[in-house]
Amino acid sequence: MTTLEAIVVVLAGVFAGGINTVVGSGTLVTFPVLMAVGYPPVVANVSNSLGLVPGSLSGAWGYRRELSGQAARVKRLLPASVLGAVVGAILLVVLPEDAFSAIVPVLIAIALVLVVAQPWLNRKLAERERHEHGGVGLWIGVFFAGIYGGYFGAAQGVLVMGLMGVLMSEHIQRMNALKNVLTAFVNLVAGVLFIFIADVAWLAVLLLAVGSVVGGQLGAKVGRRLPPAALRAVIVVVGVVAIAQILTR
């Protein structure tokens, strides 16, 4: 890797760390960049997951204020994310990429519909009793989002935000804080497994880690100040871009 390529990878990490904190889909920036500098697809994917872990944790820390009072939700949903991450990481190693990624655009499209429809759905569901933690439906949804995140990871935050918006009555910024914790652990668990079961490009991991930590803090500062409507707009834009990039890969 040349010096210029290393700088590009760091900058991609900054952007990915920021966008992951606000919405998700940072992988759609870093994964192509790693492939462009010469890494094979699976190695790029594995190294990307590991490299973005510090950025995810940085973003979660940046949103710690919005996490206040959500310990019970974290304890309930985190096992679903961890189990899903394990399954997804194993699938990445044992299955061809097309076997799982073919359905990714559909998953993102469903998530975008949920995000856009959230205000309307909230009004329709206002008179219905919803579980404090989103119920069994949210747990199962987070589990499958974890599988997706462990396998590829792009826009897993969009999926989680869409699910929480429909199944849980909460302010979007607090849901975003919870999403950051769940996706951070998906990346962490999958990354740890990849160390033992896959090839890792450690230079790429280091460069992405440095950039994503900075981006995570920047994302937390920007994301917290966005009004709910603006944050939904960002989610939709990133989700549409995610679908377009995946379909053209």
Side-chain angles (χ1 to χ4, degrees), residues 3 69 80 103 105 129-130 158 163-164 185:
T3 301
I103 200 173
E129 183 178 352
R130 281 181 282 178
V158 176
L163 289 165
M164 289 193 297
F185 273 88

Side-chain angles (χ1 to χ4, degrees), residues 39 43 46-48 50 191 194-196 198-205:
Y39 292 109
V43 174
V46 166
S47 305
N48 177 75
L50 272 169
F194 289 148
I195 293 174
F196 298 100
D199 294 327
V200 178
W202 288 107
L203 176 58
V205 170

Side-chain angles (χ1 to χ4, degrees), residues 54-147:
S56 298
L57 295 174
S58 174
W61 176 254
Y63 262 86
R64 62 191 180 279
R65 187 174 65 199
E66 286 77 9
L67 280 171
S68 177
Q70 297 201 74
R73 285 174 177 163
V74 173
K75 290 178 182 178
R76 179 180 177 83
L77 294 174
L78 194 56
S81 290
V82 170
L83 289 174
V86 171
V87 174
I90 293 174
L91 287 176
L92 177 63
V93 176
V94 301
L95 295 179
E97 184 175 344
D98 291 343
F100 191 75
S101 62
I103 200 173
V104 168
V106 177
L107 294 176
I108 298 174
I110 292 173
L112 292 180
V113 171
L114 294 175
V115 170
V116 172
Q118 181 191 339
W120 178 82
L121 289 170
N122 282 346
R123 290 194 297 270
K124 291 296 183 181
L125 296 173
E127 297 179 358
R128 295 180 57 186
E129 183 178 352
R130 281 181 282 178
H131 197 283
E132 180 184 1
H133 305 294
V136 176
L138 182 57
W139 198 98
I140 294 173
V142 168
F143 169 70
F144 280 104
I147 293 177

